[in-house]
């Protein structure tokens, strides 16, 4: 949408200017426009290191379909913004004075616009490693589905949710996949659940390497696909990569891969936002912006929402929720704050994992092991019975705080549609769900979620039984 030409009252061009048009930025802008405020979004995705090579897009139908979906969604979004009355410019935004943002359009044209309130919703981008060859030869999640060839044998560096999701996705396409867990497996998630996910991946055929470090990535001789036909998922039409890995015991190993996917964390997109000129500080590690409970930065009229925030979970749902509430507080007089606890999260590995609330590690650290009881159970989804799939894959646990009537501190689910199952429990946790309430809930047969209404065994019991069994 073109920027408005109509004159505005007061010293500002806009009531609110949002830098970044992702989940959080769109939510705050649409809500504010709905409250009859004049709002502008600036959004520009600068190309990634690989993206700037402008490789021709000739991968599989799958990759084409994904791109097509993104484009369709983008067009729908533009229509939606227009209907909401939000102004949109495809441009980079940089704060240059207290209320002034410098807008740089794709063609290089610059102008300055003023807004009473500025919202930073610029999200984050994948990080690279300083390892030799990483920048030139590795790809990130932003590039994978635009690769000009099937990824072939792939090394995923990093055990984050993003890394595991991509590893399982590629493996599901029939590609050989190795995951180098640098530094850890699902950092920040419940570690016992993380181990179960890893076991599931290993049993499926994904290789995992622990405590190894990526030391170098080099290009070897180009290997052309001579078949003449369309490349299959397991074929690579480009040169292979020679990857040097330092193993846990200090040995140097060399292995061949077609693609190295870096999934080693993300850095907030704050580097070129001009925050220093308005006295807004960023965290030294990931460049994220500390905010108060009202999502306000060090400058009173500048707010931040979404994954650019420091020390807060990063999910799409949370960014949308926070953005919506922010607009209502600013322009409708609401007082409701965004709660950053009990945020449901999902890891979309083949065996889906969803969680809400504390991990076991967090619960034990906060309340002491003696006060924490963990109820757990395997379950067998109905649709798994006929094909006789493994009875001991799907698993749930409820972490409870004993002195507070076993209030549920955390719910963890590993199994098909775990995210969908979790949503209702996340709502119940907002209301202070207890184990007694779980027990008093009538199970819905034949559903998977009913396992939560019949949790009788605790981890302590299981451990005691195992100890006895081992005697
Ligand atoms: C691979 C991957 C998978 C994920 N899967 C899930 C999932 O399954 N479920 C889930 O809930 N979350 C998921 N997430 C997390 C989710 O994407 C983020 O939490 C969410 O997008 C954060 O929204 P945001 O508005 O803060 O930032 P973003 O959605 O990243 O949007 C930021 C926007 O700002 C633009 N921008 C940046 N700087 C500027 C500037 N200076 N000027 C103009 N524009 C700028 C960017 O180009 C971008 O369009 C996933 C993330 C990744 C990377």
């Amino acid at each position: 949408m073109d920027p408005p030409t109509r004159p505005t009252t007061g010293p500002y061009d806009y009531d609110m200017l949002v830098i970044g048009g992702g989940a959080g930025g769109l939510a705050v802008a649409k809500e504010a426009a709905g409250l009859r405020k004049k709002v502008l979004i600036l959004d520009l995705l600068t190309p990634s290191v690989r993206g700037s090579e402008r490789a021709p897009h000739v991968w599989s139908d799958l990759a084409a379909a994904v791109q097509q979906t993104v484009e369709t969604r983008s067009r729908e979004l533009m229509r939606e913004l227009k209907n909401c009355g939000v102004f949109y410019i495809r441009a980079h935004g940089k704060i240059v004075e207290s209320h002034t943002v410098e807008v740089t359009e794709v063609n290089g044209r610059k102008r300055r616009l003023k807004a009473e309130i500025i919202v930073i919703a610029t999200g984050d981008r994948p990080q690279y490693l300083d390892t030799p060859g990483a920048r030139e030869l590795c790809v990130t999640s932003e590039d994978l589905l635009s690769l000009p060839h099937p990824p072939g044998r792939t090394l995923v560096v990093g055990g984050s949710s993003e890394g595991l999701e991509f590893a399982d996705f590629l493996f599901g396409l029939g590609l050989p996949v190795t995951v180098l867990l640098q530094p850890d497996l699902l950092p920040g998630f419940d570690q016992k659940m993380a181990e179960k996910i890893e076991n599931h991946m290993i049993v499926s055929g994904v290789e995992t390497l622990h405590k190894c470090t990526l030391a170098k990535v080099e290009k070897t001789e180009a290997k052309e696909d001579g078949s003449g036909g369309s490349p299959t998922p397991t074929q690579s039409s480009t040169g292979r990569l020679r990857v040097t890995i330092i193993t846990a015991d200090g040995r140097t190993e060399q292995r061949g891969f077609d693609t190295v996917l870096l999934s080693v964390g993300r850095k907030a997109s704050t580097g070129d936002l001009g925050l220093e000129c308005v006295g807004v500080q960023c965290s030294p590690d990931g460049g994220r912006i500390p905010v108060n409970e009202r999502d306000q930065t060090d400058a009173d009229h500048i707010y931040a929402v979404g994954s650019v925030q420091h020390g807060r979970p990063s999910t799409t749902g949370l960014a949308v929720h926070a953005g919506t509430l922010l607009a209502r507080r600013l322009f409708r007089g609401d007082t409701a704050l965004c709660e950053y606890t009990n945020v449901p999260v999902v890891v979309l590995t083949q065996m889906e994992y969803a969680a809400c609330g504390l991990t076991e590690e967090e619960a034990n650290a906060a309340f002491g092991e003696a006060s924490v009881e963990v109820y757990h159970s395997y379950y067998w989804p109905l649709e798994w019975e006929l094909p006789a799939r493994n009875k001991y894959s799907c698993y749930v646990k409820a972490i409870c705080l004993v002195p507070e009537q076993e209030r549920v501190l955390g719910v963890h689910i590993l199994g098909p549609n775990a995210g969908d199952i979790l949503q209702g429990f996340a709502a119940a946790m907002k209301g202070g769900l207890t184990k007694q309430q779980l027990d008093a809930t009538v199970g819905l047969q034949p559903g998977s979620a009913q396992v939560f209404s019949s949790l009788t065994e605790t981890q302590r019991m299981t451990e005691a039984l195992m100890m006895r069994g081992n005697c």
Side-chain angles (χ1 to χ4, degrees):
M1 181 183 283
D2 286 336
T5 48
R6 68 175 188 262
T8 52
T9 53
Y12 303 115
D13 301 298
Y14 296 90
D15 296 311
M16 178 192 270
L17 189 154
V18 183
I19 308 178
L26 291 172
V28 67
K30 284 193 286 187
E31 192 68 19
L35 294 167
R36 310 207 55 77
K37 294 295 163 185
K38 190 176 171 192
V39 185
L40 171 69
I41 294 184
L42 303 177
D43 187 58
L44 189 67
L45 179 67
T46 49
S48 66
V49 173
R50 292 285 300 213
S52 57
E53 290 173 13
R54 293 182 190 282
H57 179 79
V58 287
W59 191 17
S60 62
D61 290 350
L62 171 75
V66 170
Q67 300 299 333
Q68 180 65 47
T69 306
V70 171
E71 280 162 28
T72 307
R73 182 71 193 113
S74 186
R75 274 198 301 275
E76 286 170 3
L77 208 56
M78 287 302 118
R79 262 199 303 274
E80 200 183 327
L81 289 180
K82 199 169 182 179
N83 291 341
C84 292
V86 175
F87 297 98
Y88 178 96
I89 310 177
R90 197 161 159 253
H92 178 270
K94 179 179 179 175
I95 302 171
V96 285
E97 276 169 27
S98 183
H99 288 268
T100 308
V101 173
E102 182 180 75
V103 178
T104 308
E105 289 181 55
V106 185
N107 61 11
R109 185 178 153 216
K110 285 186 194 292
R111 79 185 102 157
R112 291 185 173 205
L113 295 171
K114 282 181 175 290
E116 186 174 6
I117 285 168
I118 295 172
V119 177
I120 299 165
T122 50
D124 51 17
R125 303 291 295 268
Q127 263 180 321
Y128 279 81
L129 292 171
D130 289 334
T131 308
R135 221 158 242 286
E136 308 79 32
L137 299 173
C138 299
V139 297
T140 69
S141 58
E142 292 187 347
D143 316 304
L144 192 80
L145 290 171
S146 316
L147 281 180
H149 51 77
R153 179 177 292 276
T154 302
L155 174 69
V156 176
V157 181
S160 64
S161 55
E162 180 189 305
L164 296 192
E165 284 176 358
F166 273 105
D168 242 9
F169 164 70
L170 295 176
F171 185 77
L173 292 180
L175 301 170
V177 178
T178 301
V179 185
L180 192 152
L181 297 165
Q182 177 182 333
D184 269 325
L185 179 65
L186 284 179
F189 285 82
D190 188 285
Q191 285 305 291
K192 287 183 188 159
M193 299 302 289
E195 277 169 30
K196 285 188 188 298
I197 295 173
E198 187 192 5
N199 286 343
H200 193 266
M201 291 175 76
I202 292 171
V203 169
S204 311
V206 174
E207 182 189 24
T208 55
L209 303 175
H210 280 263
K211 302 200 186 321
C212 293
T213 316
L214 183 73
K216 197 196 286 183
V217 183
E218 299 161 280
K219 201 165 179 141
T220 59
E221 276 177 35
K223 183 188 85 177
E224 292 301 327
D225 168 35
S227 66
S230 303
T232 67
T234 48
Q235 289 173 319
S236 168
S237 58
T238 58
R240 287 171 61 92
L241 302 172
R242 183 168 47 236
V243 174
T244 307
I245 294 167
I246 310 291
T247 63
D249 54 6
R251 283 180 298 111
T252 299
E253 247 182 40
Q254 285 194 331
R255 294 210 188 183
F257 291 96
D258 297 304
T259 301
V260 178
L261 172 67
L262 293 182
S263 190
V264 289
R266 301 179 68 84
K267 207 170 183 330
S269 305
T270 49
D272 57 353
L273 267 183
L275 296 179
E276 57 292 341
C277 79
V278 279
V280 172
Q281 305 291 324
C282 293
S283 65
D285 43 355
R288 295 183 199 272
I289 304 175
V291 289
N292 64 17
E293 76 286 356
R294 295 189 305 284
D295 302 317
Q296 197 171 29
T297 69
D298 295 331
D300 284 353
H301 65 293
I302 301 180
Y303 295 78
V305 290
S307 52
V308 77
Q309 287 186 345
H310 175 66
R312 300 256 173 91
S314 173
T315 76
T316 302
L318 183 61
V320 171
H321 189 63
T324 306
L325 292 184
L326 172 61
R328 290 178 188 168
R329 283 197 304 275
L330 289 171
F331 302 124
R332 204 171 76 175
D334 283 14
T335 52
L337 301 172
C338 183
E339 285 178 39
Y340 288 93
T341 53
N342 291 346
V343 174
V345 289
V346 66
V347 180
L348 297 171
T349 36
Q350 302 262 333
M351 181 64 94
E352 204 168 301
Y353 166 47
C356 183
L358 300 188
T359 65
E360 243 184 274
E361 295 81 9
E362 288 166 343
N364 288 336
F367 301 102
E369 278 188 40
S371 299
V372 174
E373 196 71 270
V374 180
Y375 291 87
H376 70 157
S377 176
Y378 286 98
Y379 69 98
W380 208 28
L382 182 71
E383 65 272 24
W384 282 35
E385 291 187 23
L386 208 58
R389 295 187 68 180
N390 190 340
K391 267 188 167 178
Y392 299 100
S393 294
C394 304
Y395 175 83
V396 297
K397 69 179 180 187
I399 302 169
C400 302
L401 183 58
V402 179
E404 290 186 22
Q405 293 161 343
E406 294 200 308
R407 178 164 63 85
V408 178
L409 299 172
V411 166
H412 299 258
I413 306 170
L414 185 65
N417 310 311
D420 276 346
I421 296 173
L422 183 82
Q423 185 74 67
F425 290 102
M429 284 174 71
K430 285 274 174 213
L433 179 70
T434 63
K435 175 67 169 56
Q436 196 189 10
Q437 288 170 336
L438 279 179
D439 295 342
T441 302
V442 177
L444 183 72
Q445 295 277 3
S448 296
Q450 50 105 16
V451 63
F452 277 104
S453 52
S454 55
L455 288 176
T456 50
E457 190 164 321
T458 66
Q459 262 183 23
R460 283 193 177 85
M461 290 178 193
T462 313
E463 279 159 17
L465 278 172
M466 286 170 69
M467 291 275 283
R468 248 181 276 155
N470 287 341
C471 285

